[in-house]
Amino acid sequence: MPTNFYFNNFTNSQEQLLIEDLCIEAIKIHGIDVYYLPKTYADYDYLAGESDIGYFNSFHECEMYINTFDGFGGEGDFLSKFGLEVRDQLRMSVARFSFEANVGNPASINRPREGDLLYFPLTGGIFEIKFVEHEPVFYQMGALQFYELRLEKWEYSGERLNTGIEVVDQLESNKSMDVNFERYVMNENGLEPLHLEDGRQILLDGVDPVIDTDAAAASENEFFQTQATNFIDFTDQDPFSEGGSW
């Protein structure tokens, strides 16, 4: 027997829009403005299944609600064998309509994506989206009103930051380990995956390698080779055999 026409609450579009408006209004009142930083890729590595470098070239401001209102979750701050590690976690909610209006791009971004970043101006922290829950409330009145994001404190690992937010972009200057190479390296395929500070590849196909002859002459390779040859005398008798040598 089909459900009663007059009590079917899951196809009432007006009720769905009312709940959506209430969710948006509640987030605007009790939420906080954050900056959504979408991640783009270049030079995709098909062997590793990922890009060797990530780019953050823009930001979008959007209001979100902090679910973990009583503080950061996760393992917190602790000392490990690698030093001090920060494992703060957050859970935040964003209205679907607000995300599509402020961030959404039908060609590339139609929902929050794992791997993108959120700049949290309240504490000055940057968090990475680890998982996006699409159904935090299971079809209230027959529709979904918001996403729940599970975030973890982001650790810089060589990404290119040109977002336009000075505090965020400064991280690349402070923590980047890249240097401007004066010589070139080329792999067997003629393609170079390493990059300079500005994102350009170190060597393009057809460029002659540059060798620093002064540095090669001053390296004293012959001295080390001679010392290594005489380090062990292989003509000595082997004490563990009968008359044998090493």
Side-chain angles (χ1 to χ4, degrees):
M1 179 178 180
T3 57
N4 192 297
F5 174 79
Y6 298 101
F7 295 95
N8 189 342
N9 297 320
F10 297 98
T11 58
N12 192 329
S13 60
Q14 297 303 317
E15 294 291 339
Q16 294 171 1
L17 293 176
L18 173 61
I19 294 178
E20 182 179 52
D21 291 341
L22 291 174
C23 290
I24 295 173
E25 183 177 2
I27 293 177
K28 285 183 175 293
I29 294 174
H30 302 287
I32 185 174
D33 290 330
V34 299
Y35 296 93
Y36 186 92
L37 312 178
K39 186 176 185 178
T40 57
Y41 300 92
D43 299 331
Y44 189 80
D45 187 342
Y46 291 94
L47 178 62
E50 62 181 7
S51 175
D52 61 334
I53 189 170
Y55 293 83
F56 295 93
N57 297 322
S58 62
F59 73 91
H60 306 273
E61 189 174 3
C62 186
E63 67 275 4
M64 297 188 185
Y65 178 76
I66 306 174
N67 294 21
T68 51
F69 57 87
D70 54 346
F72 293 115
E75 301 178 37
D77 306 343
F78 64 94
L79 287 174
S80 69
K81 60 182 179 181
F82 303 107
L84 178 64
E85 294 193 21
V86 181
R87 299 286 181 85
D88 292 337
Q89 295 180 354
L90 271 177
R91 288 188 299 113
M92 305 187 72
S93 295
V94 56
R96 289 172 173 251
F97 180 84
S98 298
F99 183 85
E100 293 173 1
N102 297 317
V103 182
N105 182 351
S108 57
I109 305 175
N110 54 13
R111 68 169 185 87
R113 304 178 304 182
E114 291 81 355
D116 290 350
L117 302 181
L118 291 181
Y119 172 59
F120 197 56
L122 182 64
T123 62
I126 301 177
F127 290 82
E128 180 181 1
I129 300 176
K130 291 295 186 180
F131 181 74
V132 179
E133 177 58 63
H134 299 76
E135 301 170 343
V137 178
F138 190 74
Y139 291 93
Q140 188 171 211
M141 299 300 294
L144 300 172
Q145 290 79 30
F146 56 90
Y147 298 104
E148 182 178 277
L149 313 180
R150 300 178 187 177
L151 314 169
E152 188 172 304
K153 192 69 177 291
W154 179 63
E155 295 183 4
Y156 178 81
S157 56
E159 292 84 356
R160 300 293 179 261
L161 302 174
N162 298 295
T163 62
I165 304 174
E166 183 177 358
V167 178
V168 176
D169 297 343
Q170 190 65 30
L171 287 175
E172 182 178 349
S173 303
N174 296 339
K175 296 187 177 183
S176 176
M177 300 297 292
D178 294 344
V179 295
N180 291 322
F181 293 96
E182 296 297 335
R183 63 186 66 190
Y184 304 106
V185 182
M186 199 168 187
N187 61 21
E188 64 272 14
N189 296 324
L191 300 176
E192 181 51 58
L194 300 178
H195 294 75
L196 298 175
E197 188 70 35
D198 58 2
R200 292 181 293 112
Q201 292 185 355
I202 294 176
L203 181 62
L204 300 177
D205 194 12
V207 180
D208 296 331
V210 178
I211 302 176
D212 190 347
T213 56
D214 294 335
S219 61
E220 299 182 348
N221 290 334
E222 294 183 0
F223 171 77
F224 289 113
Q225 182 64 36
T226 303
Q227 296 298 317
T229 302
N230 299 326
F231 186 74
I232 297 178
D233 187 359
F234 291 96
T235 62
D236 287 349
Q237 293 295 319
D238 182 3
F240 302 102
S241 64
E242 298 178 359
S245 60
W246 296 97

